[in-house]
Structure formats: C-alpha cells, structure tokens
Amino acid sequence: MTSPISLTMGMREWTLLLVLSLLWGGSFFFVGVAVQDLPPLTIVALRVSLAAVGLWGVVLILGLRPSRQWQVWLAFLGMGTINNAIPFSLIVWGQTQIASGLASILNATTPLFTVVVATCLLTDERATPLKVLGVVIGFLGVVVMIGLPASSEPTPWLPQLAILGAAMSYAFGGVYGRRFKALGVHPILTAAGQVTASGLIMMPIAMSLEGTQALSTASVHSWGAILGLALFSTSLAYIIYFKLLESAGATNLLLVTLLVPGSAILLGILFLNESITATQLAGLGLIALGLSAIDGRLWSRLVTAKP
C-alpha cells in the first residue's frame, strides 16, 4: 500500500506547502462569498465538478494516459469520498452557522488527527515526542493568532463537530492517498480521478436535495467565487497536494492546515489593505516554532551543539 517517503522536508517541499496553504487559505474566502447565494451541497458539487474539468484539461495537454485498472478507479472513489465529498460538505455546512475564524481553528486540528491515524496505520510515519510537541505548539499558535470567538451567545456545537469531522476525514484521506504512489499513478491523474469521483457522488445528491433554482439567481460574485474555488483552491491545490503526499507523507503534508490561517492573514494584507497585530505575530511565531520542532533538524543541531 505504501512506499518510502522522506520524513524531513527540504526547501522544495516547504515551498510547495506554503503555496498550498495560500490556495486553501483562499478557499475560506471563496466559500464565504458563495454561501450568500448558493446552498452548501451545491457549492461542493460545483467545486469538484468544475475542478475535474480543469484537471482533465491539464491531463490532455500533458498527454497523460488514465489507468485502465479497476483497482485504481476504486481507489479514486474511496479518496474522493473521504478527502472531498465528506469534508467539503461538512466544512461548507459548518461555515453557514459559525464564523470562518472558528472554522479555521477547528480545521487546524487536522495534523493532530493525522499524527494519531498515521501512527496507527503507517509503519513509516510513527509519531515522535518532538513531532507531537510541534503539532501542539503549532495548534496553539493558530488559536493565539485567530483568537477564540468573543460572543455572549453560545456557539452551536453541531457545526463545530462537523468541522472536526472534516479534519478527521482529511487525516484518513492523507493516509489513504499514500497508496497512489505505490500504484504508480501520476499526481495529476490522481487529482483528476479523485475530484471526478467526488463530483459523481456530489452532483446527484446536491440536485436531489437542493434543486437547481439557486443556480439561475446566483450573482456574478458568487460564480466568480465558485470558479476560484474550483480552479485554484481545488484543481491547482490538489496537483500540489498529491505531489507532496508522494514525497513527504501524510503527516508532513497536512501540516498545511496550520499555515492556512497565516496565509489568509497574508492575503488580507496584500489585497484588502489589512494590517497585522502583535497578537497575530505572536501566533505566527508559535506556528513557526511548532513547524521547526516537527521538522526536527534545527532542534537536533541545538542538542548536538550543547557542550
């Protein structure tokens, strides 16, 4: 099922991880715009279906040949279910009832779930005390940076559980996706097959439960958000996702959820004229400290440098 990976990421992997965090950081914005006009399941169905069209276009341009093995397509179906259909639906539904900041914090628990799942299911991604410490420090950094929601009214617990369920589903998806390298499937074909499978799942569900009336009344802004969500936060993002998964493994890959809130803040500074606060800087510092512990190289040098 699995094949060897490098547990220590180099500059290339860290750069790809940062780019992926920017793409997924933008997804919270796109969803926030789209939910004003479109129901949750319809957004998910459009996201994965349009992403599939974009990815198969890339496949054709590059001249890649899809696999004819039924085992590969069955794996696409499994990956599309646990890594797209389930978590996307849970997150979009959750965001209709809770703030995006709280959703980001809950989504940042993904590495915690991944450490547990990978330790239980993968022989080459066992948790180490330093890695667990790094994940906990990074998660605390996300909480400090975003801040807990201040409201006199209680936040509904079911949407929060939905986001946590999505985080756990992502963890299983990352571990499950390790099989595609062993099957010899190109990362772009894996991305295309995954979103195609999830599109086939979500489109009939969305149409039967939510209908198509909202499609004709949605604004230009909502359609623009859907296109951005599909082409950038899904198509391009999953090309990078599967490339990282085959080289760095599930645990390292899903550290991206710790970087997503920081990327969202960076996007706000660059494009919305927002400013960064001292608290946000402190949170980013904790995230950086946590990521350095997970990487381990700097900490090992500090230990060996002691007299």
Side-chain angles (χ1 to χ4, degrees), residues 92-138:
V92 173
W93 179 78
Q95 274 197 263
T96 64
Q97 302 186 57
I98 63 176
S100 59
L102 178 56
S104 296
I105 291 175
L106 295 171
N107 189 55
T109 60
T110 300
L112 298 173
F113 288 120
T114 306
V115 166
V116 175
V117 174
T119 298
C120 293
L121 299 181
L122 299 175
T123 58
D124 58 349
E125 291 196 51
R126 301 294 188 192
T128 64
L130 188 58
K131 181 166 287 190
V132 173
L133 175 63
V135 170
V136 172
I137 293 173

Side-chain angles (χ1 to χ4, degrees), residues 147-163:
L148 293 174
S151 175
S152 57
E153 297 183 2
T155 303
W157 59 270
L158 198 55
Q160 297 181 69
L161 287 180
I163 305 295

Side-chain angles (χ1 to χ4, degrees), residues 55 58 186-188 191-192 234-244:
L55 282 166
V58 174
H186 193 284
I188 295 178
T234 309
S235 294
L236 180 57
Y238 271 120
I239 292 174
I240 297 173
Y241 174 97
F242 285 107
K243 191 66 179 175
L244 272 171

